[in-house]
Amino acid sequence: MSKRLSKTTERNGVVVLKELADQAIAKHSSQIFKHEAGVLKDKDPEDLHQMRVGLRRLQSAIASFAWAMNLPEIVTVKKLAKIGHSLGALRDLDVLLEVLSNNYRPLLSAKEQKNLDKAIKSLGKRRKDKFKQVHKTLNSKLYLDLKQELKDWLKRPNYRVSGEYALDFVLPDLLLPSVSEFLLHPGWLVGVELKEGKIEFPTVSNMEGTDRLLELEATFLHDLRKSAKKTRYSLELFAQFYGKSYHHYLKQIEAVQEILGQIQDIHVLIEVLEKALRSPIAEKMPELADLLLKTRYQKWLEWQILQKQFLEVQTRQKLRQDIQNVLDYQKLTSNN
C-alpha cells in the first residue's frame, strides 16, 4: 500500500475514491514523462516500452475514475489512445525485429538466413518511418497541450462529489462491468461448440486444422486479447485491496493476454514478412514457415487449457465472488 493511502487508513479507517485516483493518475503520468526524452533519443527500446505502458495504464485509470473527476477536456482516453497508437506501431515493429533476429534466425539454414536478412533490412527502413511518426507525435500540439493540462491538473486535482465514495462501497461496481465484458467476449468460443447451454471442445488434431481455424478467427482472438489487457489493468488498479484468490485470477487474465498476444504476433509476423518478401512465406522460406506453424500450434494447445478454465462455471463464479470480497481496511493495514 502507498504511504499516502496508509496514512489515510490509519487516520480514519477509510480510503476514498479520489485518493486512489490521484495516486494512479500521478504515477502513470510520471512514467510517461520520465521516458519521453529517451524515446526521442531512440537509444534504448525500453524507454519506448515503458512510455507506451504508462500511456495504457493512464488510459485505464482515467476510464475507471473519469465519472468522479473533473478533467480538462483534452485529457481523454481517446486522445491518449491516439498518442499510444503511434508509439505502439514502433514498439510492435521493434519486438518483431528482435524476435526474427534472436529467436528464429539462428534456427535457419544459411540460405534462409540470407533471405531473412533481406526482409529484416526492409523492416529496418520501415522502422525509420515509424520513428519519424513518433517524433512528430511527441512534438505535436495535441501531445504538448495534453501534457501541460495534465501537469496543471495534478497540481490542483479537481473531483466531483462522487470522489468522496469509500472504496469498499464502490469497488465491485467499478470492476464487475469490465469483468463481465471480458467473460462474455465471443473470442472465448473460437474452436468451441455451444449447443443448448452445453459447451463442447472438439479436438483439432493437427497443425493444418489449427492454422485454418486461427486464420479465420484471428480478429476475435486479437480482440479478446485487448479485452484481457483492459480488464487486467483495471483489476491491477485495485489489487492492493484484495486477497490471494483475486491475485490468482489476475495472473490468469494476464496469461490470457500473453498467450493470445503470442498467437497474434505470429499472425502479424507472417503478414509483415510476406509483404516484405512479396510472396508467400512458405515459398521463399519454408523452414521459417514450418517453425512459425509449429510455434503457433503449441501456443494454441496452451491456450486451450486457459480457455477451458475460463469457460467453467466455477471459475467465473469464483472470480465474481472475489471481486465482491473487498478486504477490511483494518486487516489490510495490519498486513502491510
Side-chain angles (χ1 to χ4, degrees):
M1 183 186 294
S2 71
K3 291 181 179 179
R4 175 172 182 174
L5 291 183
S6 294
K7 290 178 180 178
T8 304
T9 303
E10 290 168 3
R11 182 175 69 247
N12 55 22
V14 174
V15 176
V16 298
L17 187 70
K18 69 179 184 181
E19 291 168 338
L20 186 60
D22 192 29
Q23 178 198 23
I25 301 298
K27 177 182 178 181
H28 303 316
S29 297
S30 176
Q31 182 177 357
I32 294 167
F33 304 150
K34 176 182 177 181
H35 292 280
E36 178 188 330
V39 170
L40 291 171
K41 290 178 181 177
D42 199 27
K43 299 295 183 182
D44 186 350
E46 187 64 17
D47 285 309
L48 176 63
H49 173 59
Q50 291 300 325
M51 186 174 183
R52 186 189 185 193
V53 169
L55 281 163
R56 283 175 168 176
R57 291 189 180 277
L58 182 58
Q59 288 176 60
S60 178
I62 289 175
S64 295
F65 299 121
W67 60 278
M69 308 165 72
N70 290 311
L71 285 168
E73 287 187 10
I74 196 172
V75 182
T76 66
V77 170
K78 186 175 181 179
K79 288 184 171 62
L80 287 167
K82 185 175 181 180
I83 294 165
H85 180 74
S86 176
L87 272 65
L90 179 60
R91 174 62 183 171
D92 290 346
L93 196 52
D94 280 348
V95 171
L96 190 152
L97 285 166
E98 182 182 359
V99 167
L100 285 174
S101 299
N102 299 334
N103 294 8
Y104 289 108
R105 189 181 185 281
L107 302 177
L108 303 176
S109 65
K111 179 182 177 180
E112 288 216 3
Q113 284 184 351
K114 186 176 181 180
N115 286 334
L116 182 58
D117 288 342
K118 291 179 182 178
I120 289 174
K121 184 177 180 180
S122 174
L123 293 175
K125 293 178 180 178
R126 183 185 299 188
R127 189 194 182 281
K128 291 181 180 178
D129 293 335
K130 296 296 182 183
F131 176 72
K132 288 179 182 177
Q133 183 59 49
V134 167
H135 193 279
K136 181 179 179 181
T137 296
L138 296 186
N139 285 283
S140 67
K141 186 176 187 302
L142 170 63
Y143 177 73
L144 295 176
D145 286 351
L146 190 150
K147 180 170 72 169
Q148 188 58 55
E149 290 285 351
L150 196 52
K151 286 183 175 181
D152 291 343
W153 185 89
L154 284 167
K155 292 176 183 177
R156 298 185 65 181
N158 188 348
Y159 292 90
R160 300 171 187 171
V161 65
S162 49
E164 297 291 341
Y165 272 127
L167 268 177
D168 60 344
F169 185 75
V170 295
L171 269 191
D173 299 317
L174 279 173
L175 294 175
L176 284 171
S178 176
V179 171
S180 295
E181 183 180 342
F182 170 64
L183 293 177
L184 292 173
H185 194 284
W188 289 110
L189 299 180
V190 171
V192 169
E193 292 183 1
L194 178 61
K195 295 180 180 179
E196 297 180 353
K198 185 177 181 181
I199 299 173
E200 296 180 353
F201 298 87
T203 301
V204 180
S205 58
N206 54 59
M207 287 191 296
E208 289 73 18
T210 301
D211 188 50
R212 286 194 297 271
L213 175 66
L214 292 176
E215 287 297 327
L216 286 171
E217 307 290 359
T219 301
F220 285 112
L221 292 175
H222 179 51
D223 196 60
L224 176 57
R225 178 206 178 186
K226 292 192 290 186
S227 180
K229 179 172 60 180
K230 176 184 175 183
T231 305
R232 171 195 166 192
Y233 286 166
S234 295
L235 294 179
E236 283 181 342
L237 277 172
F238 308 103
Q240 61 186 304
F241 301 103
Y242 286 95
K244 291 182 180 179
S245 182
Y246 178 96
H247 285 262
H248 165 73
Y249 284 112
L250 182 53
K251 286 291 184 183
Q252 292 296 92
I253 293 171
E254 183 179 0
V256 169
Q257 176 193 337
E258 288 297 321
I259 199 162
L260 289 180
Q262 291 165 352
I263 291 172
Q264 173 67 13
D265 288 348
I266 293 174
H267 178 79
V268 172
L269 192 154
I270 292 172
E271 284 189 338
V272 170
L273 278 178
E274 290 187 338
K275 186 174 181 180
L277 294 168
R278 297 181 180 179
S279 68
I281 187 173
E283 292 182 6
K284 281 199 172 181
M285 305 187 68
E287 293 174 28
L288 179 57
D290 186 58
L291 278 173
L292 293 172
L293 284 178
K294 287 179 178 177
T295 301
R296 184 156 67 173
Y297 180 62
Q298 181 58 45
K299 295 303 175 184
W300 172 253
L301 295 179
E302 294 174 21
W303 159 246
Q304 286 186 311
I305 296 173
L306 278 170
Q307 183 186 31
K308 288 178 181 178
Q309 289 176 357
F310 275 95
L311 288 176
E312 290 177 353
V313 173
Q314 296 88 340
T315 298
R316 299 159 84 90
Q317 288 179 341
K318 187 66 170 64
L319 176 54
R320 298 186 200 104
Q321 290 169 2
D322 286 342
I323 290 172
Q324 296 280 3
N325 295 330
V326 185
L327 285 180
D328 177 80
Y329 288 120
Q330 297 298 331
K331 180 180 178 182
L332 189 63
T333 306
S334 64
N335 289 339
N336 287 275

